[in-house]
Amino acid sequence: MVKTVTIALDVMGGDNGPAVCVPAAQNMVKRHSDLQLLLVGQTEQITPHLNGSMSRIDVLDAREIVAMDEPPADALRKKKNSSLRIAIDQVKGGIADACVSSGNTGALMATARFVLKTLPGIDRPAIMAAVPTIHGHAYMLDLGANTDCTSEHLFQFAVMGSVVAAEVENIDEPRIGLLNIGEEDIKGNDTIRQAAAMLADSGLNYVGFIEANDIANQKADVIICDGFSGNVALKSIEGTARLIHHFMKKEFSSGLYGRFAGLISRPILQALAKSLDPRRYNGASLVGLNGIVIKSHGGADMVAFEQAIETALIEVEKGVPEKIHQLLLEQEH
């Protein structure tokens, strides 16, 4: 018998709210016969977007909404009946196997950490997402949750990232790299070098330092960094993709020759656009929690939000938190 996976969706979060989240939810239950979804939010805003059958979809009313610019501490203390909080509560209570939200990142992390707690052996949860590479994609963490990290934190990130890459991508021994300003052993600050020593002595497949320009070459399957560096690197990758798209569109629309070349090259351009489409990588994992929480981009459209739900479904099926806890125990021994 196929086990049903239940995922709670904070449909009030993000820039588009129910207008995107509800149709995406209906598409996903059509695609996955083992999926049950809880739409958490203001019922009167959700209902108009429900189209046809509500098979395996339930609506859970939540009267409060966490604004995208709301301070995380305020959301945690003052918005206990928000869609974000109630969606996470479903994971805590065992009603849902995972939660997905496009809402305020800081509030989501603070609330998830308060409600679910971290796994034993994890000091801080981290934000992890896939980034495009020439061979497909690699995972990077942390992407903004922890701007200041100790070497122990970086080591814990490596353990968590290794589990996700192994389970989700079916890689036997994921290659772990530390993001640094150079590949030489003498490069970087004390924290980075201490983390490198810890990883070298572990059973993880540590391949050394990598520079930002080698992320795309996928010299590592998992790239470890503090949240400040990771967020800067991620935004640079996203900006570069938009820059390439801009100049290609400009060149192929200028003059008769450019338009003709663009017409001939359309299949190649479409394939390139698909490879660089950030929607294909939507769904950042808040790893290290005692439960599964996925952060969707605030401006996600239907395709992107569906990808975030897909990420949650995979992590549930693979039992990611349990596998992280298991590997941490192995590292201690």
Side-chain angles (χ1 to χ4, degrees):
M1 183 176 178
V2 178
K3 179 184 180 296
T4 299
V5 174
T6 301
I7 299 175
L9 307 181
D10 165 23
V11 300
M12 308 306 295
D15 300 332
N16 301 309
V20 159
C21 298
V22 176
Q26 291 190 297
N27 287 344
M28 288 299 291
V29 294
K30 291 176 184 176
R31 198 177 305 158
H32 296 281
S33 60
D34 60 342
L35 181 61
Q36 176 89 25
L37 294 176
L38 294 175
L39 309 186
V40 185
Q42 295 177 350
T43 304
E44 68 274 15
Q45 293 200 45
I46 295 172
T47 304
H49 297 286
L50 287 167
N51 182 22
S53 173
M54 284 184 59
S55 175
R56 290 179 283 115
I57 292 180
D58 294 310
V59 178
L60 186 58
D61 191 61
R63 304 316 303 166
E64 296 178 326
I65 300 173
V66 175
M68 294 298 282
D69 59 352
E70 193 161 346
D74 288 351
L76 184 59
R77 291 197 308 267
K78 302 175 182 178
K79 296 286 183 73
K80 295 181 180 179
N81 293 313
S82 69
S83 56
L84 184 151
R85 174 66 176 266
I86 292 176
I88 294 172
D89 284 342
Q90 305 313 297
V91 180
K92 174 66 174 179
I95 298 168
D97 300 295
C99 163
V100 179
S101 174
S102 295
N104 182 316
T105 303
L108 184 67
M109 176 62 87
T111 304
R113 185 175 182 179
F114 175 78
V115 173
L116 300 176
K117 313 304 180 189
T118 56
L119 290 166
I122 295 295
D123 297 324
R124 299 181 184 180
I127 299 174
M128 181 185 67
V131 294
T133 70
I134 59 175
H135 300 297
H137 58 263
Y139 287 96
M140 183 181 293
L141 71 162
D142 180 32
L143 295 177
N146 307 281
T147 55
D148 296 310
C149 296
T150 66
S151 56
E152 180 63 32
H153 295 149
L154 295 175
F155 178 80
Q156 293 171 11
F157 296 167
V159 171
M160 296 189 290
S162 181
V163 168
V164 173
E167 295 300 321
V168 175
E169 304 297 332
N170 297 313
I171 303 173
D172 289 336
E173 294 186 341
R175 297 166 298 163
I176 309 295
L178 272 173
L179 189 63
N180 201 355
I181 58 173
E183 296 183 354
E184 298 84 0
D185 292 340
I186 61 171
K187 292 292 181 69
N189 56 34
D190 290 341
T191 299
I192 291 288
R193 292 198 297 271
Q194 289 167 7
M198 295 173 68
L199 286 168
D201 289 338
S202 72
L204 300 175
N205 185 15
Y206 175 60
V207 297
F209 296 141
I210 64 169
E211 296 179 81
N213 59 340
D214 278 325
I215 293 174
N217 294 329
Q218 200 168 339
K219 287 190 172 182
D221 302 301
V222 181
I223 301 156
I224 306 302
C225 52
D226 61 68
F228 183 91
S229 303
N231 194 271
V232 170
L234 178 65
K235 297 296 172 59
S236 297
I237 291 169
E238 292 174 346
T240 301
R242 286 194 294 268
L243 185 68
I244 292 171
H245 180 268
H246 167 78
F247 280 118
M248 292 186 70
K249 185 177 180 180
K250 179 181 177 181
E251 293 301 323
F252 284 120
S253 62
S254 61
L256 181 62
Y257 179 78
R259 289 194 293 272
F260 178 73
L263 182 64
I264 297 297
S265 305
R266 180 172 293 177
I268 297 173
L269 296 175
Q270 289 175 337
L272 176 62
K274 183 177 180 181
S275 298
L276 295 176
D277 188 350
R279 298 179 301 175
R280 295 179 62 235
Y281 305 98
N282 188 49
S285 306
L286 274 56
V287 289
L289 296 169
N290 191 25
I292 296 171
V293 178
I294 303 298
K295 172 65 174 75
S296 170
H297 195 286
D301 63 7
M302 281 177 53
V303 173
F305 198 73
E306 287 171 22
Q307 180 58 44
I309 298 172
E310 190 77 43
T311 299
L313 181 60
I314 293 171
E315 291 202 9
V316 172
E317 292 174 341
K318 297 290 187 177
V320 167
E322 294 83 0
K323 298 289 177 57
I324 290 173
H325 180 50
Q326 181 181 341
L327 184 54
L328 282 167
L329 290 176
E330 292 175 2
Q331 291 298 319
E332 290 177 1
H333 299 295

